[in-house]
Amino acid sequence: MTEQRPPGDLHERSGELIEAYSLDALEADEAAIVNAHLDEGCEDCEEEISLLRSIVDRIPLGVPLRRTPPVLKERVLREVQADIEAGAARAAAPIPLPARRAAPEPSAPSRISALAAPWRPARFASMAASVAILAAVGLVGWNVVLQGDVSNLDDENEALLATVATVEEQQRDAQVALQSAQEEVADASARSDELETRMTAIVTVMGSDEQERVSLAGTNDAPRGAWGNILVNSNDGTFIILASGLEPGGEGGYVLWIHTEGGDVIPVSFFYVNESGNGLGYGKIDGELGNASITVSHEYDRSVRAPTGPSKMERHR
C-alpha cells in the first residue's frame, strides 16, 4: 500500500520549489509535486506564484537603456549574498513564544498549520533573494542587448557612409557625363548652324541672276592641278568658294584673303577640305571683287588676321 504523505509535508516541499516553478525551471517530477499541491487549492502558493511571475515579466520594463557600470554586478551579488545569509540566519534562529498553559491536542487543521509554519520566513527570504538575482540577471541581459544594438548601429553607419560615398561618386560621374553631353550638343548645334548658313549662302549665290565669277589657280606650293572658283551674288555680296586639288587631311584649314589697294589683307572665309582635297567656303563682302588681289593659304587658326604661310592658290589673271 502506497504511503500517504502528510499535507503539511506536501505544502513544505512545494514551497521550496515555488521560485523555480515560477521560472518554468523544474524537472517534470518536481513540477508534478507543485501541480498536485496547487490542485488541492492552496491559495497562498497560487498568490505567490502569480506575484513572482508578474515580477519576472516586469523586470525588463524597469531597466533603463544605458551602459551598466562594471561595479554594479559585484555590488548586486554582494547584497544578494548578504540577504541570503541574513534569511538563513533568521530561519535558523528560534522564535520566542510566550509562556502559556497546556492546550488540548490540536485538531487536524491546526496540526497542518504547525507543520507548514517553519518554512515561511526562509521561504520569503529566498523569494526576495530570487527577485534580486532576477533583477541582476535582467540588468546584465539588457546591457548585453544594448551593446549588441550599439554594434549593429555602428555597422549600419559604416554601410550608410559607404552608400553615400558610392552615390557621391555616381553623381560626379553623372556630372562629367552631362558636361560631355552638353559639349557634344553645343558642337552639334554649332555644326548645324554652320551647315544651315552654308546652304543659305549656296542657295543665295546659285539662285542669283547676277553673279561675279573669279578663277583661282594653284601656286608652286600647292599640288599640281589645284584650282578654285569664287561666285559672288552681285546684289548682296554673298559669295561661295569652290576649291579642288588641295592637300587633304592634317590640322587646320584654308583661309581666303582679299588684298586691298591700300595694302591691307582681309580674311573673308575659312573652310576645310575633305580627303579628296575638295572644299567649299562661304562669306560676304561689301561691293564687288573687281581687280582685287586674292590668295588662299593654309592656316591652323581660323581667327588669324594675316597669312602665316605661303599661298596655295591665287587669282588667275
Side-chain angles (χ1 to χ4, degrees):
M1 182 175 180
T2 304
E3 180 183 357
Q4 297 294 326
R5 186 181 302 273
D9 189 19
L10 181 61
H11 189 86
E12 182 175 354
R13 292 197 62 198
S14 63
E16 296 171 354
L17 304 175
I18 286 297
E19 291 82 5
Y21 182 85
S22 300
L23 297 173
D24 294 327
L26 290 180
E27 298 293 338
D29 55 343
E30 294 175 328
I33 294 174
V34 179
N35 288 330
H37 179 61
L38 295 177
D39 290 341
E40 293 178 352
C42 181
E43 296 180 357
D44 290 342
C45 290
E46 289 182 354
E47 181 179 353
E48 186 174 347
I49 291 173
S50 177
L51 174 62
L52 286 174
R53 285 183 171 173
S54 65
I55 292 174
V56 171
D57 293 339
R58 294 176 183 176
I59 284 176
L61 301 178
V63 179
L65 294 178
R66 61 172 63 95
R67 187 178 298 278
T68 304
V71 299
L72 178 59
K73 179 179 178 181
E74 297 180 3
R75 189 177 69 186
V76 170
L77 292 179
R78 285 198 303 269
E79 293 179 358
V80 169
Q81 184 63 31
D83 288 342
I84 293 175
E85 293 176 355
R90 288 194 299 270
I95 301 176
L97 298 175
R100 61 180 180 178
R101 293 176 298 175
E105 183 69 12
S107 60
S110 298
R111 185 181 299 111
I112 294 175
S113 299
L115 292 173
W119 64 269
R120 286 191 175 273
R123 180 175 177 182
F124 282 104
S126 177
M127 181 178 69
S130 299
V131 171
I133 292 174
L134 290 174
V137 172
L139 288 173
V140 174
W142 273 102
N143 184 40
V144 172
V145 172
L146 182 58
Q147 290 178 350
D149 291 342
V150 172
S151 178
N152 291 337
L153 288 176
D154 290 340
D155 294 340
E156 293 176 0
N157 186 46
E158 291 180 1
L160 181 59
L161 291 176
T163 301
V164 170
T166 301
V167 172
E168 290 177 347
E169 183 177 359
Q170 292 175 348
Q171 288 178 341
R172 289 192 295 269
D173 293 342
Q175 289 175 350
V176 172
L178 177 60
Q179 182 177 359
S180 177
Q182 290 174 341
E183 293 175 354
E184 292 179 359
V185 170
D187 291 343
S189 178
R191 290 194 297 270
S192 177
D193 293 342
E194 183 177 357
L195 179 60
E196 182 179 357
T197 303
R198 179 190 301 177
M199 294 303 298
T200 300
I202 293 173
V203 171
T204 300
V205 172
M206 300 304 294
S208 175
D209 294 334
E210 298 182 10
Q211 294 180 354
E212 180 183 7
R213 180 186 295 266
V214 175
S215 298
L216 302 174
T219 66
N220 293 332
D221 292 310
R224 182 181 296 274
W227 61 272
N229 284 320
I230 300 175
L231 303 177
V232 183
N233 183 333
S234 301
N235 294 323
D236 63 1
T238 301
F239 71 88
I240 60 174
I241 174 174
L242 304 174
S244 180
L246 295 174
E247 296 176 0
E251 298 180 359
Y254 291 85
V255 177
L256 175 65
W257 304 92
I258 295 180
H259 301 257
T260 66
E261 294 180 357
D264 295 329
V265 183
I266 303 173
V268 293
S269 180
F270 182 91
F271 61 94
Y272 298 98
V273 297
N274 58 22
E275 295 180 355
S276 300
N278 301 323
L280 186 151
Y282 61 93
K284 198 168 187 177
I285 60 175
D286 294 331
E288 297 180 351
L289 292 175
N291 294 322
S293 177
I294 301 173
T295 60
V296 174
S297 66
H298 179 269
E299 304 294 343
Y300 292 97
D301 184 2
R302 67 183 303 159
S303 63
V304 66
R305 307 311 300 173
T308 60
S311 298
K312 300 295 182 177
M313 289 192 298
E314 59 186 15
R315 186 170 186 169
H316 181 65
R317 299 291 183 178

